[in-house]
Structures are given as C-alpha cells and as structure tokens.
Amino acid sequence: MISEKIILGIDPGTTIMGFGIISVKKGKMEMVSIHELILKKYPNHETKLKYIFERTLSLIDEFHPDEVALEAPFFGKNVQSMLKLGRAQGVAMAASLYRNIPITEYSPKKIKMAITGNGNASKEQVAGMLQNLLNLKEFPTKYLDASDGLAVAVCHHFNSGTIADTKSYSGWESFLKQNPDRLK
C-alpha cells in the first residue's frame, strides 16, 4: 500500500498557467505547493509552449508526483483560443508522459462539481472551498489560475478509483491506443 501520493494538478493556459501540488497520506490531503507561470510577457505562442514544457518538467523533477491531473480545454466560440489552449495542455501532457507520469483529464464542470458541489461555481467559490478543504488560513496566491491548478489535483484525489468522465494515460502507447484519431 502506498503511504503517500503526490498529485500535480495543472490548469493549462497561455496567459497564466496554474499548478497545484497536494500530498495525500492516509486519505488526508495537504497542499504542498502552488505555482503559476506568467506567460503574457513572452512574445509568441511557441516561446510560451517552450516555457510550459520546461516549467512542468521542473515541477515534476522537484516534487516527484505519482500522478498528474489536467483540466481539459472547454469548448468556446473562439477557435484560435481553443487551439492555443489545447496546445498548452498538450505540452504539459507531453512533459508528464516524458517523465512516465500517468495523466488524467477532467472537464471544468467536473472539477467545479468535485470541489463545490456546483458545476457552474465561480473561480472565487472554488478558491474559497479549497481554502476550507485544505485548512489554509489565507490563500497563498492572488492568481485564480493557480488555485484552479490546485482544484484539479484535489478533484483527482476525490475521483481516485472512478473512471467516469475522465481519460487516463500511463504513457505514449496508452495515449495513442485511446486516441487513434490523433495518429497521422
């Protein structure tokens, strides 16, 4: 039996990317770290993707997560924004798979539902509930994208052992088997 599990949660973004890390010991959650990667200062999308990959790898190398959970891109009206978000998520997935860390995706509604009981909760409501769930006196970051990354990790813990509405991959081979349409 595993005595401790470390979960890295990622909220992909191209302006701010949020990361939250929790430790679970005997079913008790504890926040280990919360980070954000500020990307709006970089000149182009390719540079942002490079920094997303490098930052995700550095967090994996520093905290040694057992699992990575990501927020799946939501479907919006702006196709260009969706493509950029999908690329950001893909780069974070690639970094995780590069280090052979299993990944799981969760929809934004599922994350909000797991944390607050309301799939339409605001970012502020999610952050407030996380503060309560993790017994934080104050929230350690001003960026709600970072708290969203933490929410993904907590959602993953709450959903451990269930498969509904998620996709999990243990490596490139697993990813390609479950997504044959992405192989060209």
Side-chain angles (χ1 to χ4, degrees):
M1 184 173 173
I2 300 172
S3 60
E4 178 184 29
K5 180 167 39 171
I6 305 290
I7 302 169
L8 167 59
I10 301 174
D11 176 31
T14 55
T15 304
I16 299 174
M17 190 157 182
F19 301 91
I21 302 161
I22 63 169
S23 167
V24 181
K25 295 178 190 170
K26 298 181 180 173
K28 184 175 175 0
M29 284 186 303
E30 183 179 310
M31 186 185 77
V32 174
S33 190
I34 189 167
H35 297 272
E36 62 275 329
L37 176 60
I38 310 297
L39 296 160
K40 54 188 163 199
K41 61 186 172 189
Y42 297 111
N44 58 50
H45 190 62
E46 295 77 20
T47 303
K48 292 177 181 184
L49 294 176
K50 175 183 180 281
Y51 283 110
I52 290 168
F53 186 83
E54 290 175 349
R55 184 64 173 134
T56 304
L57 277 181
S58 73
L59 288 169
I60 289 169
D61 292 343
E62 181 179 351
F63 294 101
H64 309 287
D66 299 292
E67 299 169 0
V68 171
L70 297 108
E71 181 174 313
F74 58 91
F75 296 101
K77 293 179 182 174
N78 186 329
V79 176
Q80 285 302 313
S81 293
M82 283 183 54
L83 282 170
K84 288 179 179 179
L85 252 169
R87 289 179 188 143
Q89 182 201 31
V91 168
M93 291 170 94
S96 303
L97 293 171
Y98 184 72
R99 291 288 193 250
N100 295 310
I101 310 290
I103 58 175
T104 305
E105 297 177 79
Y106 295 94
S107 71
K109 270 195 179 299
K110 181 158 181 105
I111 295 165
K112 291 175 181 181
M113 184 62 122
I115 304 302
T116 67
N118 176 3
N120 296 314
S122 69
K123 287 179 173 277
E124 292 81 8
Q125 288 171 316
V126 171
M129 187 58 84
L130 287 171
Q131 189 173 347
N132 190 6
L133 286 168
L134 296 166
N135 297 316
L136 305 173
K137 289 187 188 338
E138 59 184 48
F139 215 79
T141 180
K142 66 179 180 176
Y143 295 102
L144 293 174
D145 303 88
S147 63
D148 284 351
L150 188 61
V152 179
V154 172
C155 171
H156 184 66
H157 167 62
F158 287 162
N159 285 279
S160 292
T162 63
I163 334 173
D165 216 15
T166 63
K167 290 185 179 180
S168 296
Y169 314 110
S170 56
W172 284 113
E173 190 175 306
S174 169
F175 176 82
L176 291 173
K177 277 184 185 175
Q178 292 183 45
N179 296 281
D181 55 312
R182 294 199 181 176
L183 185 62
K184 301 218 184 233

